[in-house]
Amino acid sequence: MSTAPIGIFDSGVGGLTVAREIRAQLPGESLVYVADTAHQPYGPKPIADVRRFSLEVMDELVAEGVKMLVIACNSASASVLRDARERYEVPVVEVIHPAVRAAVSATSSGRIGVLGTQATISSGAYQDAFIANPSVHVIAQACPRFVEFVERGDTTSAELLHVTEEYLAPLLADKVDTIVLGCTHYPFLKGVIGYVAGPEVTLVSSDVETAKDVYRVLADRQLLAPFDNVARYTYRATGANTDEFRRLANKFLGPDVERVERHHTGIIELPTQPTE
């Protein structure tokens, strides 16, 4: 057993959907949540930059003694998962494979759409994750503007509806029956995405399935906190405006995030790739 906290990070508020579900399924676990708001959004950035930003945050979390890392960001999961599992001794859980498993279970036609940031879709991480299921047909769509809407608190505007219709058009034309919300920001847009997709399309997000993975890994490694442990929750943001992060967190999750600390990351040196 271990009372050390779980470290969770995302580029902004999106990963709070994962943190919320972990809190619901494992109420005795303490959490440290870091939003890398100084560098958000990750989606349009080069993979090398996302990798560097992510490792900076995770280095700090590991240094302060978290017992697990949860990469609650699809762009970061696609960019840095292998590096993180090689770099750290603590277990690392990500959000892509849990969503893929849920989508395969949900589909009846085998036609699945994936919505994600430019970085996630360009990486091919979801497409690769579905390869183990050759009967599944996948169509992926980058949605670069969705994170912008969420990060300014807009989940209902006419402009958002129009953008959603444009993003979903190729998927609906391909007759998908399941859509993976391949960014932890996107569950905040379930209303508009579900409206445009229609009731016959199942939406899959990774928050619930990722929390199940967290439980499984902690149990397997005998790292679960005692059942009577009093959990503590710490929220941090790397950007200068921590009040803005707190405002958005409370808008989406209720008046639960009372204080947001400023998180300072250092500069890390990444290993250079060997040249041939």
Side-chain angles (χ1 to χ4, degrees), residues 26-264:
L26 294 95
E29 298 293 343
S30 296
L31 308 179
V32 178
Y33 182 95
V34 178
D36 190 15
T37 51
H39 301 117
Q40 70 177 3
Y42 279 2
K45 291 181 169 58
I47 288 177
D49 287 345
V50 174
R51 179 171 173 254
R52 177 166 60 88
F53 299 148
S54 300
L55 290 175
E56 286 177 0
V57 173
M58 288 190 288
D59 277 359
E60 296 286 340
L61 287 169
V62 170
E64 68 180 73
V66 299
K67 64 182 176 183
M68 167 185 277
L69 290 167
V70 179
I71 306 177
C73 172
N74 285 263
S75 298
S77 293
S79 303
V80 80
L81 178 61
R82 180 177 298 178
D83 292 312
R85 286 183 169 161
E86 292 176 354
R87 188 180 184 94
Y88 309 118
E89 293 185 0
V90 300
V92 180
V93 172
E94 48 81 41
V95 292
I96 292 176
H97 286 84
V100 167
R101 291 195 299 268
V104 171
S105 296
T107 185
S108 57
S109 69
R111 306 185 74 81
I112 298 174
V114 178
L115 304 177
T117 65
Q118 189 64 58
T120 298
I121 300 303
S122 296
S123 74
Y126 271 97
Q127 297 91 318
D128 291 344
F130 278 109
I131 285 178
N133 301 276
S135 62
V136 169
H137 167 79
V138 178
I139 176 172
Q141 173 68 45
C143 308
R145 295 194 61 195
F146 273 174
V147 171
E148 299 173 14
F149 282 102
V150 172
E151 290 292 344
R152 66 172 179 252
D154 178 358
T155 60
T156 57
S157 70
E159 181 186 10
L160 172 61
L161 175 60
H162 175 69
V163 169
T164 303
E165 289 170 340
E166 289 186 343
Y167 285 155
L168 264 61
L171 279 64
L172 299 179
D174 206 39
K175 301 188 185 317
V176 302
D177 73 347
T178 303
I179 294 178
V180 176
L181 306 183
C183 174
T184 50
H185 284 68
Y186 295 179
F188 294 124
L189 303 178
K190 270 185 177 179
V192 65
I193 294 173
Y195 173 75
V196 174
E200 68 280 5
V201 176
T202 300
L203 302 185
V204 172
S205 56
S206 57
D207 48 0
V208 174
E209 300 304 318
T210 299
K212 291 178 183 177
D213 270 17
V214 168
Y215 185 98
R216 176 182 57 79
V217 172
L218 290 179
D220 286 347
R221 301 202 182 196
Q222 298 183 336
L223 291 173
L224 287 167
F227 76 93
D228 57 351
N229 185 55
V230 178
R232 299 183 63 184
Y233 308 116
T234 303
Y235 300 93
R236 300 177 188 156
T238 61
N241 192 352
T242 57
D243 285 344
E244 176 62 13
F245 173 79
R246 184 170 60 85
R247 183 189 70 81
L248 285 171
N250 286 328
K251 175 182 175 69
F252 292 132
L253 301 181
D256 186 46
V257 182
E258 298 177 356
R259 181 171 178 267
V260 176
E261 302 173 0
R262 179 81 181 277
H263 184 89
H264 298 274

